[in-house]
Amino acid sequence: MLLDVRGLTKRFGGLVAVNNVEIQIPERSISAIIGPNGAGKTTLFNLLTGIYEPDTGSIQFDGRSLIGLRPDQVNARGMTRTFQSIRLFHNMSVLENVMVGMHSRLPHVSLLQTLFRLPSFDEREKKVKARASELLRFVGLGGRGDEISRNLPYGDQRRVELARALAGDPKLVLLDEPTAGMNPNESEDAKDLFRRVRDELGVTVVLIEHDMKVVMGISEHITVLDYGQKIAEGSPADIRANPRVIEAYLGRRAAGTDYGEKTKHETPEGTM
């Protein structure tokens, strides 16, 4: 397994935000973590990426522990992420935003090299710009590197954020609500892009997502959280039919013995 999480727990005072969660993510897979609001999904991402330190549990990534590492160190190990709220540098160009994502992979540059723009500095800058431009083409924003990021439409800003995450040359990318705010056409395009990230770049993808059409249409494996606990996992078909998942999303009445055709039509891919 590329990512192996065991017994992960995080408390905030009396609140257990993540409770004894176990997740295994195979290499070159596309997986989703879903659950109602407040289920602990983003907290889990924050634990994986070093923003929070768990109270108990282990996180093994590519055979090495991530416990105690800072976010930049996790990034350098090959795990990058996007955020639920877009976190671009809005006054910087699109190209510059992507270049920022490469910092963990770049060799140290001395003050002398920077001040006097020695050949080694210029050569590195050319390579960084070329790679950033290549990633912008990959996400569908080729030729738009000079635009200021805040001027882009919302969906394109999401693409810039993904390109920046990919700039760190990751083995695994965590996408937190990557299609939030997108219209249906943009969401369909995003699904195709996530598949290309896996198929063409060989990067494992894990997403938190509320749009069940996206989740069910792209995920090979789904983990469901509720109140910080894992309540189900399996294929999209398994998750659709799981009574505990239906209960978590729609309430106990929907999971009762009278669960019939009306409820089935109320829990399609797009609403559950």
Side-chain angles (χ1 to χ4, degrees):
M1 290 292 168
L2 180 62
L3 179 65
D4 190 355
V5 176
R6 305 274 179 172
L8 205 63
T9 299
K10 181 62 180 179
R11 299 179 181 88
F12 297 100
L15 172 66
V16 184
V18 172
N19 189 2
N20 197 34
V21 168
E22 298 194 356
I23 296 176
Q24 287 76 48
I25 304 294
E27 190 171 6
R28 294 181 70 99
S29 64
I30 300 178
S31 303
I33 299 172
I34 69 172
N37 290 331
K41 305 181 296 297
T42 295
T43 299
L44 176 61
F45 269 22
N46 288 339
L47 289 167
L48 296 178
T49 53
I51 294 175
Y52 298 149
E53 187 166 350
D55 296 311
T56 59
S58 64
I59 305 170
Q60 293 286 322
F61 177 64
D62 201 22
R64 303 165 70 188
S65 175
L66 298 183
I67 300 296
L69 297 186
R70 301 186 309 269
D72 62 300
Q73 293 173 320
V74 173
N75 185 292
R77 290 277 183 92
M79 185 189 298
T80 60
R81 70 173 294 181
T82 65
F83 290 86
Q84 186 173 353
S85 299
I86 294 176
R87 298 190 180 183
L88 297 179
F89 297 100
H90 290 291
N91 292 321
M92 292 171 59
S93 73
V94 169
L95 186 68
E96 289 168 338
N97 266 281
V98 179
M99 291 169 65
V100 167
M102 299 185 199
H103 69 91
S104 66
R105 298 292 182 181
L106 296 176
H108 175 71
V109 176
S110 69
L111 179 62
L112 180 66
Q113 289 173 307
T114 304
L115 288 176
F116 293 98
R117 298 190 66 86
L118 298 179
S120 55
F121 176 86
D122 286 339
E123 184 63 27
R124 192 193 76 159
E125 187 175 41
K126 289 178 182 178
K127 289 181 179 179
V128 169
K129 286 183 176 180
R131 177 57 177 162
S133 296
E134 179 183 339
L135 287 169
L136 286 175
R137 286 192 295 272
F138 179 83
V139 301
L141 296 175
R144 302 184 66 181
D146 292 334
E147 296 184 35
I148 300 301
S149 62
R150 68 170 182 269
N151 296 333
L152 293 183
Y154 185 87
D156 287 345
Q157 290 188 32
R158 286 282 184 192
R159 289 174 180 269
V160 176
E161 193 173 39
L162 175 59
R164 185 173 63 186
L166 295 173
D169 194 23
K171 298 173 184 176
L172 184 152
V173 61
L174 303 171
L175 307 178
D176 195 347
E177 299 283 1
T179 68
M182 291 186 181
N183 63 43
N185 289 335
E186 289 173 329
S187 293
E188 284 298 315
D189 290 343
K191 285 198 303 184
D192 292 339
L193 179 56
F194 302 154
R195 289 192 190 95
R196 291 179 55 227
V197 168
R198 190 271 306 274
D199 296 340
E200 297 180 27
L201 301 183
V203 177
T204 303
V205 177
V206 180
L207 61 150
I208 292 172
E209 183 56 65
H210 278 105
D211 186 335
M212 289 299 106
K213 288 184 178 179
V214 173
V215 171
M216 298 298 177
I218 195 174
S219 305
E220 299 153 353
H221 187 272
I222 301 171
T223 299
V224 187
L225 300 182
D226 191 29
Y227 293 106
Q229 293 183 304
K230 182 174 73 174
I231 63 170
E233 64 179 353
S235 69
D238 294 335
I239 296 304
R240 281 195 193 98
N242 189 299
R244 291 194 69 188
V245 177
I246 297 165
E247 177 181 333
Y249 274 93
L250 296 179
R252 294 184 182 277
R253 183 178 303 174
T257 57
D258 60 344
Y259 177 66
E261 288 303 315
K262 182 174 186 294
T263 306
K264 288 178 184 177
H265 288 138
E266 288 174 350
T267 59
E269 299 171 2
T271 59
M272 190 178 73

